[in-house]
Amino acid sequence: MMGEQKTKAAGARVEVRNLTKKFGDLLVLDDISFNVEKGEFLCIVGPTGCGKTTFLNSLTRLYDLTAGEILVNGEAVDPKKHNISYIFQEYSAMPWLSVEDNIRFGLDIKGVPKQEAQENVEEMLEIVGLEKFRKQYPHQLSASMLQRVSIARAFATKPDLLLMDEPYGQLDIELRFKLEDELIKLWEKLGTTVLFITHNIEEAVYLGQNIMVLTNKPTKVKTVIPDEIPHPRDVTAPEFVKLRNYVTDMIKWW
Amino acid sequence: MQTKTPAQERRDKIVFGTLAVFLFLVIWYLVTKLTAFGEIFPDPVTVLANIGDKFVNPLGKVTLAGHILVSIRRVMAAFVVAAAGGIVLGVTMGWYPVVEAIFKPIIEFLRPIPPIAWIPISILWYGFSEMSKYFLIFLASFFVITISVYSGVKSVDPMLIRAARMLGAKDNQLFTTIIIPSVVPYIFSGLQVALGNSWASIVAAEMVQSNMGVGWIIITGQQSSNMVQIVTGIVCIAVVGMLLVMIMRGLENKLCAWNKQGR
Ligand SMILES: Nc1ncnc2c1ncn2[C@@H]1O[C@H](COP(=O)(O)OP(=O)(O)OP(=O)(O)O)[C@@H](O)[C@H]1O
Ligand SMILES: [Mg+2]
């Protein structure tokens, strides 16, 4: 079980105001505004290439904004101050660190005491099922294992704001179900704010409190659909299927 | 096809390698004994006997071991300085655009000059002194190491930098946790090439101007038409060069185990 939780993650509030992002002449995000409340679990779905990754990269200031602003707890985002974890769409495990040390990376950066860090690492190794591979290096791992290393590294720091960009796309079904449940547990326990990007509508309906549907480029928010089905959700329940079909209809851009 | 364990493979390598060397010596022996080549080239038994003899009895001022150590000492003294300087300059060039702008053109200009082209300058400046050798070895290794380390910093995976920044890494943490580990393999490949260059250059320098060292053995062999001594020198150069490479590889394998493409 999880060790003594010293500081419960506060959950960050995100404000997006008139966000516009262009790459040269290509208008990707077109004057988008919305808020994500403290502790909210927001799933974001939208057509491929509509700018979902661009949005997260703008939020974290990996990209400069063309216009507008994004605030985290009322100020410009600063990963040194705000406790953020970002699971990228691409692999980002450090090739020179073992699985275990990769998972510990963020904890070391943040100066978490050794004992507490080790407990977190052990817990994460178990959650993502990599205990047996703790001493392996990334070049020895499969695609799914690499993705799980990134997931574990992101969870281990118990972030206030968790950004996930199609994190479960590489995983097989059982593993995906398991990690979806682990994410829900983590979220319920920590009160983390989660922004979860996915292509998988069932996954969005299974996880989110709100489901944001984006349009094609130039991208705007088409609608935000509340998902009030209580956890644990049953993907075969009639209300679940009904909501899934509704989201599917909303996402159709053809 | 049956697969072999790494231990078996290592054993096979040693067995076949030893056999090949032995076979090479046998052919060398037979060719010198059975053909006219023997009139212009010594057989391996004579050379090996001479090597053994010169390890005990001096050749010139010191024994063979003495000459080898003199050459190695010359290489190491300057190589260590060049490595330290090259790593520092390479990293700063990769990290600070201003340093890059200043030094990159100079280094790119000087790097293609073969080290032995500096020999005349080294002699005019430093004459017979050890400094003339250090100067040359420094030039033979410094640029190679600098460029290798620099390109290492340049090719750090931007994904990893982002990942570290997102987890809150400050600039100094980014440097120690991402840049340095990424660059280590480039440092090693630079050091390996530089060491090979240095060893080749020291032999050339000693052949031109010296009173000791493996290059001296060869050139005095030529001056006294002593073919056995020349071949003795050549064998020593080859063996020491090989050992230097093996030591560097061993170090690399230890420090960069993660970099080995797994199978
Ligand atoms: N760094 C960049 N430079 C130029 N254009 C870019 C850059 N990053 C993204 N784009 C363009 O912006 C658009 C949105 O890209 P983005 O990767 O954000 O889409 P996405 O919604 O994440 O797609 P996917 O579902 O395939 O992951 C695309 O047309 C892409 O070509
Ligand atoms: Mg994307």
Side-chain angles (χ1 to χ4, degrees):
Chain A
M1 274 291 95
M2 201 173 286
E4 205 78 40
Q5 191 55 49
K6 281 214 181 99
T7 45
K8 187 175 154 95
R13 185 182 144 84
V14 180
E15 293 163 70
V16 179
R17 295 193 192 143
N18 306 105
L19 169 64
T20 299
K21 176 66 189 170
K22 287 184 186 176
F23 292 106
D25 288 337
L26 178 70
L27 177 58
V28 177
L29 302 176
D30 183 13
D31 194 21
I32 293 180
S33 300
F34 61 89
N35 294 333
V36 189
E37 299 303 326
K38 274 188 187 183
E40 181 176 338
F41 196 131
L42 176 69
C43 287
I44 303 175
V45 294
T48 194
C50 75
K52 301 182 293 297
T53 301
T54 301
F55 168 66
L56 290 190
N57 286 344
S58 305
L59 193 161
T60 52
R61 292 305 169 91
L62 291 169
Y63 291 165
D64 291 328
L65 313 184
T66 307
E69 58 182 348
I70 304 178
L71 302 177
V72 173
N73 291 340
E75 51 191 358
V77 66
D78 178 2
K80 295 198 264 298
K81 184 158 45 174
H82 304 125
N83 192 5
I84 300 176
S85 283
Y86 185 170
I87 303 176
F88 299 99
Q89 205 167 358
E90 305 93 338
Y91 303 125
S92 61
M94 318 302 173
W96 55 87
L97 296 180
S98 63
V99 165
E100 185 172 30
D101 292 340
N102 259 293
I103 297 173
R104 193 182 287 108
F105 187 88
L107 299 163
D108 286 346
I109 290 284
K110 291 173 197 291
V112 174
K114 265 213 155 63
Q115 172 75 23
E116 191 186 335
Q118 192 55 37
E119 281 168 19
N120 286 7
V121 170
E122 295 301 331
E123 185 192 345
M124 293 307 148
L125 280 167
E126 197 205 313
I127 286 182
V128 297
L130 288 176
E131 298 112 311
K132 289 210 186 79
F133 302 93
R134 59 199 307 151
K135 298 288 181 207
Q136 306 267 44
Y137 287 95
H139 75 254
Q140 299 166 303
L141 304 180
S142 70
S144 140
M145 290 158 119
L146 282 173
Q147 194 57 18
R148 283 183 272 159
V149 171
S150 298
I151 293 164
R153 184 177 67 192
F155 286 4
T157 55
K158 315 218 154 133
D160 296 333
L161 178 59
L162 180 56
L163 309 172
M164 305 176 79
D165 194 353
E166 301 186 32
Y168 297 164
Q170 294 282 350
L171 309 180
D172 62 45
I173 294 209
E174 296 109 77
L175 208 54
R176 186 157 65 77
F177 287 168
K178 170 160 193 290
L179 287 175
E180 284 169 4
D181 288 340
E182 293 291 352
L183 175 58
I184 293 291
K185 272 200 242 165
L186 193 85
W187 167 68
E188 285 178 335
K189 180 159 198 162
L190 298 181
T192 302
T193 305
V194 183
L195 269 62
F196 190 102
I197 290 175
T198 177
H199 267 130
N200 184 325
I201 295 168
E202 181 175 282
E203 181 170 60
V205 176
Y206 186 74
L207 291 173
Q209 284 179 307
N210 286 303
I211 300 163
M212 177 183 287
V213 181
L214 301 176
T215 65
N216 254 320
K217 274 187 309 245
T219 304
K220 289 181 167 293
V221 177
K222 184 168 183 185
T223 179
V224 178
I225 303 158
D227 181 348
E228 279 153 2
I229 306 171
H231 289 288
R233 293 173 180 166
D234 172 8
V235 295
T236 57
E239 51 174 349
F240 188 98
V241 175
K242 196 172 145 222
L243 185 58
R244 195 192 65 205
N245 291 339
Y246 177 68
V247 176
T248 309
D249 282 340
M250 291 308 295
I251 207 174
K252 280 183 182 159
W253 58 88
W254 54 89
Chain B
M1 223 180 89
Q2 74 202 80
T3 49
K4 294 184 172 176
T5 66
Q8 275 173 322
E9 265 179 29
R10 216 172 311 131
R11 204 192 51 209
D12 283 2
K13 259 190 195 161
I14 293 171
V15 170
F16 288 121
T18 314
L19 274 177
V21 171
F22 186 73
L23 197 67
F24 174 77
L25 291 174
V26 168
I27 292 173
W28 177 3
Y29 184 83
L30 291 178
V31 169
T32 49
K33 285 301 165 194
L34 301 178
T35 72
F37 189 58
E39 288 160 28
I40 54 167
F41 203 79
D43 69 85
V45 176
T46 313
V47 171
L48 289 178
N50 187 51
I51 290 176
D53 176 54
K54 294 305 180 222
F55 262 100
V56 185
N57 304 311
L59 176 65
K61 288 185 189 167
V62 293
T63 63
L64 202 49
H67 287 290
I68 292 174
L69 286 178
V70 164
S71 296
I72 291 182
R73 202 189 61 213
R74 284 168 174 160
V75 166
M76 283 307 154
F79 180 75
V80 167
V81 176
I87 292 171
V88 170
L89 181 59
V91 168
T92 32
M93 258 170 70
W95 194 242
Y96 298 105
V98 181
V99 183
E100 177 181 13
I102 296 171
F103 285 100
K104 195 169 171 228
I106 305 175
I107 303 239
E108 291 285 12
F109 175 74
L110 293 174
R111 183 177 60 136
I113 303 170
I116 54 171
W118 298 100
I119 289 180
I121 296 182
S122 81
I123 291 175
L124 289 180
W125 281 356
Y126 301 110
F128 249 113
S129 73
E130 289 299 283
M131 199 59 200
S132 69
K133 314 293 184 296
Y134 298 157
F135 173 74
L136 212 65
I137 300 306
F138 182 84
L139 292 173
S141 20
F142 180 71
F143 300 124
V144 176
I145 296 170
T146 305
I147 291 291
S148 180
V149 172
Y150 162 78
S151 65
V153 178
K154 283 287 160 188
S155 50
V156 173
D157 184 351
M159 221 36 233
L160 302 182
I161 295 185
R162 287 173 164 200
R165 276 212 192 284
M166 278 306 116
L167 288 165
K170 304 180 192 75
D171 276 359
N172 62 335
Q173 287 176 317
L174 201 64
F175 191 76
T176 52
T177 61
I178 303 292
I179 307 296
I180 294 298
S182 301
V183 170
V184 168
Y186 291 83
I187 294 181
F188 269 101
S189 73
L191 292 181
Q192 264 168 28
V193 176
L195 195 56
N197 275 2
S198 298
W199 187 241
S201 305
I202 194 64
V203 171
E206 287 168 350
M207 286 174 69
V208 174
Q209 172 103 319
S210 73
N211 51 18
M212 257 195 266
V214 287
W216 175 88
I217 296 176
I218 298 184
I219 202 69
T220 48
Q222 181 214 316
Q223 284 154 3
S224 56
S225 302
N226 184 345
M227 190 57 91
V228 176
Q229 184 175 328
I230 295 176
V231 179
T232 296
I234 287 177
V235 170
C236 290
I237 290 164
V239 170
V240 173
M242 207 175 72
L243 287 178
L244 290 178
V245 169
M246 278 167 61
I247 291 168
M248 286 299 290
R249 281 232 184 94
L251 262 177
E252 181 181 16
N253 287 345
K254 255 207 141 63
L255 287 168
C256 304
W258 59 269
N259 196 36
K260 286 279 153 280
Q261 284 316 306
R263 10 147 128 236

